[in-house]
Amino acid sequence: MKIRPSRRLFAIAGAVVVIAAAGIAINARTGAVPNVTTTDVTRGDFVDYIQIRGDIRPAKSIQLAAPLDAGGELQIVKLVKNGAAVKKGEIVVEFDATQLKQRLMERQSELKTAEGEIEQSLAQTKITAEQRQTEILKAMYDVERAKLDLGKREIVSRLEYENAKLSLGDAEQRLKEIEAKSLSTAAGIEAELTGRRRRRDKAQADVDRTVRSIEALRLEAPADGTVNILTNPRSGGPFGGGGVEFREGDRAWAGAGILELPDLSSIHLEARLDESDRGRLKVGQAATVKIEAVPGKEFAAKVDLISVLARVDFSSGWPPVRNFDLGLVLQDHDPKIRPGMTATARIAADRLPNVTLVPAEAIFQKDGRPVVYRLNGSKFDEQSIEIVRRGREQAAISTGVEPGDKLAVRRPEPELIRRKG
């Protein structure tokens, strides 16, 4: 009774050993694929892309600023929302005009006073002219009467004749004096009237200028467009930075830019190009642009600017890097695009047709030479390769692998690498 269970256990253990041996034999024959991520070797055109990040900017924009002749600081009482679509002539910014309206009332009062003085001078001139004319007529009458008395020489005594001559001389002299005084008075009145007219003209100019200043506090959109509110530098604190957009209630100084109306008919991507990539690009090269705020869409673009001089960037540490300004113009348009959006551009810097391609992540360095790990059955063969051209994403290979080979994208463990020989 005790022997039978032992025989049964031995029989079961033997069967397990046989099954395991069979499994090992099957695995040995079929070559189980190791748990290592692989990628395929392909054939096609080698394209080396340069990828950069930048900001969307319009080719040109119209900036609206606080008026220069308003005097002092201005408070914003009305401001359209950022991103709002506006029509030409629509009020987009309005500043507080309380002080200017008070000044306008004062200058209108000065103008009214000046006009009243002119009316008073004109009335007085008319009265004075009439008085002088009366005096001249009377003096002329006296002259004519004296001449008549002088004509009675035959019938009057010599003494009376001499008195008549004296009277005529006095009358003629008085007429000359009255005429001269009339001319002098008229010149004085005209000079006074001219001065008052100048004061009136100055008061009118002050009124007109104040009216224009009040009108300048209402900024109209010069064209149809989408509003882009600018940053208020004073909102970032005493040490700068962190500035926010202008808002209603903020104070602006004369000439401060409040908003801009970008011309979205021509959109540019402005970025910085690394010094090492400067010689690999040229104006006119094609590119594709992805805008983060417009997902799922690529925009065709073209390089239209590469600066001649480098710009030193100290923000990335020491030693500072040297970057070049790079500009691309988008050839496609979308109403969702707004200035300031972040975008990524891919530019084909190099191209080789019909070559063997290996992803860059599958190439490793060993003893100073490039190698790949090619899947062969259940293990990987370490294979040296010859690189014709290498880019950030892939490399063109002349020898070592063939299209269809599967390569490890990370270095396999030593036990998964087949030893040569």
Side-chain angles (χ1 to χ4, degrees), residues 268-288:
H268 283 228
L269 172 64
E270 296 181 0
R272 295 289 185 85
L273 181 65
D274 188 80
E275 185 178 16
S276 60
D277 295 327
R278 170 64 177 83
R280 304 173 63 196
L281 296 183
K282 61 181 180 180
V283 173
Q285 282 183 281
T288 57

Side-chain angles (χ1 to χ4, degrees), residues 67 69-74 95-108 206-207 209-218:
D69 59 348
E73 290 192 341
L74 300 171
F95 299 94
D96 184 17
T98 302
Q99 292 183 354
L100 282 178
K101 288 180 178 179
Q102 182 178 357
R103 188 184 306 170
L104 176 61
M105 294 176 61
E106 294 173 354
R107 291 179 173 175
Q108 286 176 335
D206 290 340
V207 169
R209 184 168 56 253
T210 306
V211 170
R212 289 195 299 269
S213 296
I214 293 175
E215 293 174 348
L217 296 181
R218 294 161 58 90

Side-chain angles (χ1 to χ4, degrees), residues 4-14:
R4 289 179 182 177
S6 299
R7 289 178 178 176
R8 185 177 301 172
L9 290 174
F10 284 131
I12 293 173

Side-chain angles (χ1 to χ4, degrees), residues 383-403:
Q383 179 66 48
S384 299
I385 57 174
E386 294 292 334
I387 298 177
V388 178
R389 197 74 57 82
R390 185 166 188 164
R392 288 183 172 85
E393 299 179 0
Q394 60 184 356
I397 307 300
S398 60
T399 59
V401 292
E402 297 293 335

